[in-house]
Amino acid sequence: MKLKEFLHYTYIFPLLAVGYYFSGLMGTGVFFDVIAGILLTGSVLSAVHHAEVVAHKVGEPFGTIILALCITIIEVALIISLMIAGGDQAITLARDTIFAAVMLILNGILGICILIGGVKYYEQFFARTSATTYLVSIVSILVLTLVLPNFTSSVNGPFYNTPQLIFISIACLVIYGIFLMVQTVRHRNYFIVAEEHPEGVYIPSTIKTIISFIFLVICLAIVVMMAKGLSTTIENMVQGFGAPKSLVGVIIAAVVLLPEGVAAIRAARSNQIQSSLNLALGSALASIGLTIPAVAIVCIMYDIPLVLGLDKKDIILLSLSVFIVMLSLSRGKTNILYGTVLLVNLAAYIFTVIVP
């Protein structure tokens, strides 16, 4: 790579963001928080660029898996750090974060992708087998982790006891592990549409790919750290508007998911809806399939109570979202109605968070 290539904003913004974060200026005033927000946005856009470079090199579905896993690992680190710092005050943090991420992915990212693709191309086509494979895994883990705890009787409340938590964690890892084997080895063709990869597509060099992967990790890490640093400012802003504190988790989850969201939307605009599905549904599966076991280990080690079961309202909204996604992806093609309905579901979720 030539030296002038490093003057591109996708290299400058992450480095500036890292320096600004460790300068200690964040949280010292509105002006400095605005600068932090600008650097955060630049880092998100940079993450999308570097993810696309890696994806072009390794091909599908490996490119989307790398982005999903990177964001999930950093999301887990953020949740665990906040839980350890908050102790018993953070017993619902993992549940609320995972639920917010799943709702934003299934209704928000997927809805926008389908709507944009429908407006521009009328219909977009994808492999039905890929959607079915994703949804079978997602629905199973969602019910085991966020619904079943409400109906067990070993302990009172929406909790799992330690043996149950260990079993559910193993179940999540087994499902996600077998899914990865299916996606990358045994049935890789399920997740690829040949028309999306025309001949002559740009393939970056190995050196550029390695550098982009390093910067991808840096971008994702600084996005999460700055989101955490701005959480107090966001919380004060939410309280200033008189909204419930739970809205803060939705906002932070949205910031963390921005790189995947932007990458998925760009793929949909390029008529690559299969890549959009791989990003969105892969992120939802990784978010719950990996986060729950990691959080469970920490809670067992530090003896932190962990609330996993959703309340009735959230179970209804989750069931509606999953049902609509299943219907929307059952035919192997999309249109603007499917995207519109999903975005309405998202609006209902956010509205009921603000006005419970």
Side-chain angles (χ1 to χ4, degrees), residues 40-59:
L40 180 92
T41 303
S43 298
V44 167
L45 297 177
S46 301
V48 174
H49 167 79
H50 293 299
E52 290 179 341
V53 172
V54 175
H56 280 305
K57 180 66 174 181
V58 302

Side-chain angles (χ1 to χ4, degrees), residues 99-117 250 253-254 257-258 260-266 268 273 276-277 279-281 283-284 317-318 320-322 324-325 328 336 338-350:
F99 180 57
V102 169
M103 293 296 286
L104 289 172
I105 292 169
L106 294 184
N107 295 301
I109 296 177
L110 204 55
I112 293 173
C113 290
I114 292 174
L115 181 62
I116 289 177
V250 177
L257 290 171
L258 263 179
E260 284 176 313
V262 174
I265 291 168
R266 289 179 64 172
I273 193 64
S276 298
L277 290 179
L279 276 166
L281 297 180
S283 299
L317 287 171
L318 179 62
L320 175 65
S321 301
V322 170
I324 296 300
V325 169
S328 301
I336 59 172
Y338 302 158
T340 302
V341 173
L342 287 173
L343 290 176
V344 170
N345 290 346
L346 176 65
Y349 162 63
I350 295 176

Side-chain angles (χ1 to χ4, degrees), residues 4-309:
K4 65 178 182 180
E5 292 187 36
F6 287 98
L7 298 178
H8 196 260
Y9 80 93
T10 55
Y11 298 99
I12 294 176
F13 263 105
L15 296 179
L16 287 176
V18 171
Y20 192 79
Y21 176 79
F22 289 105
S23 70
L25 294 175
M26 283 181 59
T28 58
V30 176
F31 175 75
F32 295 106
D33 286 342
V34 170
I35 294 177
I38 294 172
L39 293 175
L40 180 92
T41 303
S43 298
V44 167
L45 297 177
S46 301
V48 174
H49 167 79
H50 293 299
E52 290 179 341
V53 172
V54 175
H56 280 305
K57 180 66 174 181
V58 302
E60 287 293 341
F62 297 101
T64 53
I65 291 174
I66 289 173
L67 181 56
L69 288 177
C70 285
I71 289 182
T72 301
I73 290 171
I74 297 173
E75 178 187 2
V76 168
L78 176 60
I79 293 173
I80 290 175
S81 64
L82 290 174
M83 288 190 70
I84 293 175
D88 290 346
Q89 301 296 320
I91 60 175
T92 63
L93 178 65
R95 180 199 66 183
D96 293 342
T97 304
I98 293 170
F99 180 57
V102 169
M103 293 296 286
L104 289 172
I105 292 169
L106 294 184
N107 295 301
I109 296 177
L110 204 55
I112 293 173
C113 290
I114 292 174
L115 181 62
I116 289 177
V119 169
K120 190 172 183 179
Y121 300 103
Y122 291 86
E123 290 183 335
Q124 290 182 301
F125 299 88
F126 59 90
R128 285 184 296 175
T129 47
S130 67
T132 301
T133 306
Y134 278 119
L135 291 172
V136 164
S137 305
I138 290 172
V139 171
S140 176
I141 295 180
L142 280 175
V143 173
L144 289 174
T145 57
L146 300 181
V147 179
L148 185 60
N150 291 320
F151 302 97
T152 54
S153 57
S154 297
V155 290
N156 293 325
F159 297 90
Y160 277 136
N161 61 24
T162 299
Q164 290 171 334
L165 201 54
I166 293 173
F167 171 79
I168 293 301
S169 299
I170 294 173
C172 290
L173 292 175
V174 168
I175 292 174
Y176 188 72
I178 297 299
F179 170 83
L180 279 184
M181 184 192 71
V182 168
Q183 186 182 26
T184 59
V185 181
R186 197 170 185 87
H187 298 289
R188 185 183 172 190
N189 59 302
Y190 286 4
F191 305 89
I192 301 174
V193 175
E195 289 78 4
E196 292 188 355
H197 303 276
E199 294 183 3
V201 67
Y202 168 69
I203 303 296
S205 66
T206 301
I207 296 296
K208 186 171 184 178
T209 303
I210 293 173
I211 293 174
S212 285
F213 179 75
I214 293 172
F215 269 86
L216 172 62
V217 175
I218 293 173
C219 289
L220 296 176
I222 198 61
V223 164
V224 172
M225 288 189 293
M226 294 187 80
K228 180 182 177 182
L230 290 171
S231 61
T232 302
T233 302
I234 296 172
E235 183 176 339
N236 293 335
M237 180 183 68
V238 168
Q239 290 178 345
F241 285 107
K245 191 175 180 179
S246 55
L247 183 61
V248 176
V250 177
I251 295 174
I252 294 178
V255 172
V256 174
L257 290 171
L258 263 179
E260 284 176 313
V262 174
I265 291 168
R266 289 179 64 172
R269 289 184 60 190
S270 301
N271 201 23
Q272 298 177 350
I273 193 64
Q274 183 67 60
S275 294
S276 298
L277 290 179
N278 289 347
L279 276 166
L281 297 180
S283 299
L285 181 57
S287 180
I288 52 177
L290 297 178
T291 303
I292 294 295
V295 170
I297 291 173
V298 171
C299 289
I300 292 172
M301 289 176 57
Y302 289 88
D303 196 26
I304 300 174
L306 176 63
V307 173
L308 284 178

